[in-house]
Amino acid sequence: MIIPTVPTTDELLDKGFRRARKAASLKRSSKIPGQKKAKVIESTRVQTACQVIRDRLKMIIQRIPDIESLPEFYQDYIDVTVGVDELKKSLGALNWAVGILNQLESDYMARIKRSKPSDASHLRREAFGRISSVIKRIEGDLDFLDFAKNKLRNMPTVDLDAFTVVIAGFPNVGKSTLLRTLTGAEPEVADYPFTTKGIQIGHLERKWKRIQVIDTPGLLDRPVEDMNNIELQAMVALENIADVIMFIFDASETCGYTLESQYSLYLGIRSVFDIPVVTVFNKMDLAENVKYLEEYINMVEDPLKVSAFEGRGVSKIIKKLEGLYEKETREAHDNV
Ligand SMILES: Nc1nc2c(ncn2[C@@H]2O[C@H](COP(=O)(O)OP(=O)(O)OP(=O)(O)O)[C@@H](O)[C@H]2O)c(=O)[nH]1
């Protein structure tokens, strides 16, 4: 999501007051009779300052999309990353300021019009003081929107209609190697909450089929019971877009995790996600002498043995994913 540049309160006031002074100096050189001139100059300054500041705030409000109309994945993403309620509250505060600036403008324009010419400049100063205090009241909200802008700048562009595979497994089991081998290209990297390296997105194109593969280093790579609520929420956002989970075991245990702990993570992931799980035993090229490997392989449904490194067994994964894609497409058509 693109949030436009958010000015600080000082920048906003500076811009408004400076433009107001320029607009007024045009009036100064005009042929308005002397007595009236002071009033015209001061009311122009009030009007221009209010308009410039208000327009800037309105532009920010209008450019931020209506959060409720965004797909669920993005709503969840925004909620986990910056907080939907906080975002709405800040936008509400900007709206409030726009309303007050409207009132101040008409109020002070009317007062200057009725005033003696010698009082006009005093009234204008009073108006500027009130404009400043309104803007200072929304300082925290402008700061928050600036923070949100930076946080949401590299929001992942996920294809919400594509058949989507989300990869899970402990660190170093070969998830990103497999993603690259499957999709044959460098994945796109985007920010994602709780992932220091961001998520990686690749696409597998096969005739009419477009399969999106997402790796989430740092999220689906540790026991679910260790996650706090907000991390679970980040995971749920992924579940919204996932059609299949691909769980990767490191058969060689060279990742530093035993098969026993990998199996327990596998069970945890299975219990959280209510979608098909494709189970892959990777690094088979290094796994000749690993104890109990066959036992673990036999404990999962339809295990696929591969070596992402050598590209061995990868075609079996593609076939399996295509099969699930076709099944899902058939079921979707049956439901029409
Ligand atoms: N021998 C062998 N090495 C592999 C295989 N797959 C991955 N590796 C190596 O294992 C190491 C970890 O691989 P990655 O693909 O970075 O693992 P990852 O699961 O994405 O790791 P994180 O990004 O930390 O979650 C790298 O040095 C890879 O070259 C394989 O099938 N065989």
Side-chain angles (χ1 to χ4, degrees):
M1 180 166 72
I2 309 293
I3 295 183
T5 305
V6 183
T8 63
T9 51
D10 285 345
E11 285 164 353
L12 197 57
L13 290 169
D14 217 43
K15 186 170 171 198
F17 294 159
R18 204 131 22 107
R19 289 271 297 277
R21 183 200 289 266
K22 271 194 193 152
S25 63
L26 290 178
K27 302 284 177 197
R28 209 162 266 137
S29 54
S30 68
K31 290 199 185 87
I32 305 168
Q35 279 286 318
K36 235 179 143 191
K37 206 177 230 180
K39 284 167 65 164
V40 172
I41 285 172
E42 300 304 352
S43 68
T44 303
R45 277 180 85 172
V46 171
Q47 188 179 34
T48 311
C50 285
Q51 274 173 4
V52 167
I53 297 173
R54 210 171 46 213
D55 287 353
R56 190 75 179 82
L57 295 177
K58 275 197 203 157
M59 192 267 273
I60 298 171
I61 298 166
Q62 280 160 6
R63 290 236 192 123
I64 297 180
D66 174 23
I67 297 162
E68 262 134 44
S69 67
L70 292 172
E72 215 170 323
F73 171 75
Y74 289 112
Q75 290 191 33
D76 283 343
Y77 183 93
I78 294 169
D79 204 21
V80 174
T81 315
V82 299
V84 164
D85 288 346
E86 286 81 350
L87 194 56
K88 283 189 185 159
K89 184 193 139 283
S90 292
L91 288 173
L94 263 57
N95 253 320
W96 166 84
V98 167
I100 300 287
L101 289 173
N102 260 334
Q103 271 176 24
L104 284 179
E105 181 186 340
S106 51
D107 191 20
Y108 276 91
M109 296 279 287
R111 285 175 67 184
I112 292 173
K113 197 170 173 193
R114 286 195 309 264
S115 74
K116 288 189 266 166
S118 54
D119 288 344
S121 119
H122 168 75
L123 282 168
R124 191 266 307 158
R125 270 200 293 276
E126 191 180 301
F128 275 20
R130 293 193 57 188
I131 294 171
S132 298
S133 64
V134 169
I135 298 306
K136 292 285 180 210
R137 290 260 308 260
I138 59 165
E139 184 165 22
D141 302 288
L142 290 170
D143 285 350
F144 175 80
L145 288 170
D146 189 52
F147 154 83
K149 172 192 158 63
N150 292 325
K151 282 288 221 183
L152 298 176
R153 187 166 31 202
N154 194 13
M155 199 155 131
T157 40
V158 170
D159 182 350
L160 296 166
D161 298 324
F163 185 77
T164 300
V165 180
V166 171
I167 307 184
F170 273 118
N172 279 316
V173 297
K175 297 191 296 291
S176 44
T177 310
L178 203 56
L179 172 69
R180 273 196 299 274
T181 314
L182 276 171
T183 60
E186 277 306 306
E188 253 174 71
V189 179
D191 288 345
Y192 201 76
F194 314 108
T195 58
T196 44
K197 294 189 221 161
I199 60 171
Q200 306 190 355
I201 307 172
H203 291 97
L204 172 60
E205 314 270 355
R206 306 276 289 187
K207 293 179 215 144
W208 55 273
K209 302 185 195 86
R210 181 176 159 85
I211 299 178
Q212 176 171 244
V213 188
I214 300 181
D215 180 21
T216 61
L219 191 62
L220 297 183
D221 62 3
R222 64 213 163 82
V224 177
E225 52 278 16
D226 291 353
M227 292 186 180
N228 63 30
N229 273 348
I230 203 153
E231 287 168 311
L232 283 171
Q233 204 185 338
M235 216 164 77
V236 169
L238 276 179
E239 190 185 9
N240 278 331
I241 54 165
D243 294 291
V244 172
I245 295 287
M246 184 156 70
F247 188 89
I248 318 289
F249 278 92
D250 176 346
S252 70
E253 296 184 332
T254 54
C255 63
Y257 297 90
T258 60
L259 283 165
E260 188 187 0
S261 53
Q262 295 186 64
Y263 185 70
S264 130
L265 177 64
Y266 165 79
L267 291 181
I269 298 270
R270 282 203 77 128
S271 69
V272 176
F273 289 94
D274 195 18
I275 49 178
V277 176
V278 169
T279 313
V280 173
F281 281 82
N282 186 34
K283 303 196 194 174
M284 287 304 288
D285 57 306
L286 294 179
E288 248 168 61
N289 302 316
V290 179
K291 264 197 202 163
Y292 309 119
L293 176 58
E294 279 308 311
E295 277 90 327
Y296 281 102
I297 289 180
N298 291 330
M299 272 150 76
V300 309
E301 205 182 308
D302 197 12
L304 301 171
K305 298 187 224 172
V306 313
S307 162
F309 208 50
E310 294 174 349
R312 223 169 357 113
V314 172
S315 59
K316 281 186 288 184
I317 301 180
I318 296 177
K319 215 162 147 206
K320 178 87 188 169
L321 295 178
E322 284 187 325
L324 287 166
Y325 187 171
E326 277 162 17
K327 183 163 174 268
E328 196 230 43
T329 311
R330 262 197 317 276
E331 283 170 3
H333 282 248
D334 285 350
N335 289 337
V336 171

